[in-house]
Amino acid sequence: MLQIRIINVDRFRQLVLGFLCCFFLGDALAADGIPEAIIGDPYIVSGDPSLSGDGKWIVFTQNNQLVVVQNLESGIQTILDVQTVFNSPDLQLPNDVYPVLNQDGSVIALFGSTLDGSTSRASYTLLVMNRSGTELARLTALDYYSDPATFEDLLHIDNSGQYVVVGSGNYLRSVRSVTPGGNDVLNLSADTEQAFRLNVQTGAIDLLAVNSIGGEVNDNVSVLGVSNGGRYVFFVSASSNLPGYNGEAQIYRRDMSAPPASSTILISLDDTGNALNRLDQYCGVNCLSQATSDDGSRAVYSGWKGAESDSKTWLWVEGLGASEVTQITPADPDETSISGDGQWLSVEGEYFSRLNLDTGETDDVLTISDPDLNQDGSLLLFYTQGLTHPDTGGGGYWLLPFSDVPPPPDTDPPTWPGGSLTAMVVGDNAVDLSWSEAVDDSGIKQYVLYRDEIEIIRQTGQTFRDSPLGPGTY
């Protein structure tokens, strides 16, 4: 049996941005690696901007009340007043607020603050809304004395925007959620600082760290990351009732779909498979960037190995264990960002803008602060004073695109409209085949002909003479 199969060409998609300046900063960059000035200091009042996973949106805050979402392709901004969105005239955005976006920039999570009249203390509320200005969820807390409490100024959102993880930063008595899909209350012992996963759609609140029977762990917990769909959560804790406890804080990954007794694994390991002797706060309690990959299979951290007295940076990969990242200065940087695919790393204060974690290659561009990589590492949002920002004459925020990121795989098969195949007998031992053209959005590379599931030829044309043929062959 002779068969024809169609192979399509891989698609090459590239985000094209209009650049506002003309600096070439290093031979390691491709020709289109030119920083684009986007936001100057006077425009950022309440914290760092954040980049969506697809690299098409940024979000930042203004005047302690406004959230600005900007489309990077069109430049169009949507300005949202949190007091209006959440129907709360006393709501403010604190100076250290850091809004975050999901993969397509449709969901925004951030902190708002209100002043409690009876205690004169400010409390934080976790706020979640969509880009259109619709409230999706809010999360509040009460402290040990049942007064309004604050969360630690660190949160992460999964790609879909359905799950947000946040740490308490206080000894809490309870946590309460309010969402259109439902409400939830989680009562706590108020003995330790805990971290939580909020389901934005249902309002369900879950502890990130649990002991073997599903209860609270016995030491403080700080949030580190969340994977696609909220399945894996990452956190830091020195709890003695977690696996691998050695008296020091460690990094853990928990599978929220697994039973408590088997859901948590220790991942802050050295290259011999042992837990680190001391864990630095590398993108942990005080770090505001992402250090875990979107699928939950990679994490970056720093700490001491055994009796050594200097810190090293490590990459943990599921199934492979940990290896040292030797390109990073042996010191604890303030902020870091890993791309969603886990391949690229940007670190504040290093002499490169981006490190390929698979090959060890770097882009030796300039020293940066507040890095934020998109999902495939092709776009970097950062702050620097090393370039003169047109809005400020000094430091500001920039976008840096890279062209060496491989294109995503083409998973859509070609189609064959009409599916016309014609066969014409030629003499006694040959057949001429011809067929209609196949269609694919990225073009057709080859037609592959098979006989009895065995490939006989690959070609670009749409005709083929099959010969010599014996009697009864088709």
Side-chain angles (χ1 to χ4, degrees):
M1 173 83 62
L2 190 66
Q3 297 175 325
I4 303 171
R5 297 179 187 174
I6 307 161
I7 296 179
N8 56 329
V9 183
D10 288 338
R11 289 178 298 197
F12 289 78
R13 292 180 292 183
Q14 185 174 11
L15 176 63
V16 180
L17 298 173
F19 301 112
L20 306 179
C21 58
C22 13
F23 300 104
F24 282 92
L25 297 175
D27 295 336
L29 281 180
D32 65 341
I34 306 171
E36 176 194 0
I38 54 168
I39 311 168
D41 275 337
Y43 299 93
I44 298 294
V45 176
S46 305
D48 300 337
S50 177
L51 183 67
S52 64
D54 61 12
K56 296 181 180 181
W57 302 86
I58 58 170
V59 62
F60 56 96
T61 56
Q62 286 182 344
N63 303 323
N64 299 102
Q65 186 175 333
L66 303 179
V67 176
V68 182
V69 188
Q70 180 173 328
N71 185 299
L72 294 176
E73 294 178 327
S74 67
I76 296 175
Q77 292 183 345
T78 301
I79 300 177
L80 306 172
D81 186 325
V82 293
Q83 294 182 357
T84 301
V85 173
F86 292 91
N87 192 27
S88 178
D90 298 325
L91 189 62
Q92 297 287 320
L93 300 178
N95 288 329
D96 54 358
V97 68
Y98 300 89
V100 294
L101 290 169
N102 69 328
Q103 171 72 16
D104 63 6
S106 62
V107 181
I108 308 156
L110 74 164
F111 292 112
S113 67
T114 55
L115 188 65
D116 182 75
S118 61
T119 63
S120 298
R121 294 169 50 194
S123 61
Y124 276 15
T125 300
L126 171 63
L127 307 172
V128 187
M129 59 185 173
N130 64 23
R131 200 168 57 226
S132 301
T134 301
E135 176 182 348
L136 299 179
R138 64 177 79 188
L139 188 70
T140 58
L142 298 179
D143 65 13
Y144 181 87
Y145 302 99
S146 297
D147 292 325
T150 64
F151 296 100
E152 64 178 353
D153 52 357
L154 178 61
L155 58 87
H156 297 283
I157 188 169
D158 85 309
N159 276 357
S160 69
Q162 181 177 349
Y163 292 97
V164 178
V165 292
V166 61
S168 66
N170 283 279
Y171 293 176
L172 299 184
R173 181 68 63 189
S174 65
V175 181
R176 179 184 299 272
S177 69
V178 177
T179 75
N183 305 332
D184 194 10
V185 176
L186 183 63
N187 294 313
L188 303 163
S189 66
D191 294 331
T192 56
E193 298 176 8
Q194 296 295 325
F196 315 98
R197 185 188 72 169
L198 170 66
N199 186 322
V200 174
Q201 294 182 1
T202 67
I205 308 169
D206 296 298
L207 287 168
L208 260 62
V210 296
N211 57 29
S212 61
I213 59 174
E216 295 178 44
V217 294
N218 57 18
D219 207 333
N220 295 343
V221 179
S222 182
V223 65
L224 189 59
V226 60
S227 73
N228 300 337
R231 175 179 176 180
Y232 295 114
V233 294
F234 295 82
F235 60 89
V236 181
S237 182
S239 303
S240 62
N241 52 357
L242 284 171
Y245 172 72
N246 66 351
E248 295 286 339
Q250 300 292 342
I251 297 176
Y252 296 88
R253 188 191 75 172
R254 180 185 171 201
D255 183 349
M256 302 293 282
S257 66
S262 60
S263 64
T264 303
I265 60 173
L266 185 151
I267 65 171
S268 49
L269 307 171
D270 60 28
D271 53 2
T272 65
N274 294 315
L276 294 182
N277 186 47
R278 172 180 170 182
L279 180 68
D280 292 331
Q281 301 303 326
Y282 192 111
C283 209
V285 175
N286 299 318
C287 184
L288 303 172
S289 301
Q290 186 82 344
T292 60
S293 62
D294 285 348
D295 65 358
S297 68
R298 290 188 171 202
V300 176
Y301 49 91
S302 71
W304 296 9
K305 174 183 176 180
E308 296 179 6
S309 59
D310 61 333
S311 176
K312 293 180 170 63
T313 299
W314 308 91
L315 169 67
W316 173 83
V317 180
E318 185 172 20
L320 299 178
S323 59
E324 183 183 352
V325 183
T326 58
Q327 295 82 0
I328 295 178
T329 306
D332 181 26
D334 291 329
E335 296 190 27
T336 186
S337 177
I338 190 172
S339 59
D341 60 12
Q343 182 176 358
W344 302 96
L345 180 71
S346 288
V347 178
E348 180 173 291
E350 292 292 334
Y351 294 102
F352 56 81
S353 60
R354 192 183 60 157
L355 164 68
N356 188 317
L357 289 169
D358 291 335
T359 67
E361 297 176 347
T362 61
D363 294 298
D364 301 315
V365 183
L366 74 170
T367 302
I368 61 173
S369 300
D370 304 334
D372 192 0
L373 285 164
N374 70 331
Q375 200 278 334
D376 63 4
S378 63
L379 192 63
L380 172 65
L381 171 65
F382 65 95
Y383 177 89
T384 185
Q385 293 184 333
L387 299 174
T388 302
H389 197 286
D391 292 337
T392 67
Y397 286 90
W398 300 74
L399 283 170
L400 181 59
F402 300 90
S403 67
D404 57 355
V405 176
D410 186 351
T411 57
D412 296 328
T415 59
W416 196 16
S420 172
L421 173 63
T422 302
M424 180 176 293
V425 176
V426 180
D428 295 331
N429 64 350
V431 173
D432 281 345
L433 300 175
S434 61
W435 53 90
S436 58
E437 182 181 12
V439 176
D440 187 82
D441 57 359
S442 60
I444 299 300
K445 183 178 181 180
Q446 289 178 319
Y447 297 91
V448 184
L449 279 69
Y450 292 79
R451 177 182 286 114
D452 297 328
E453 297 298 326
I454 299 175
E455 181 180 326
I456 59 174
I457 193 172
R458 294 179 176 227
Q459 63 178 51
T460 58
Q462 294 167 238
T463 61
F464 174 71
R465 173 166 290 184
D466 192 17
S467 68
L469 298 175
T473 304
Y474 62 96

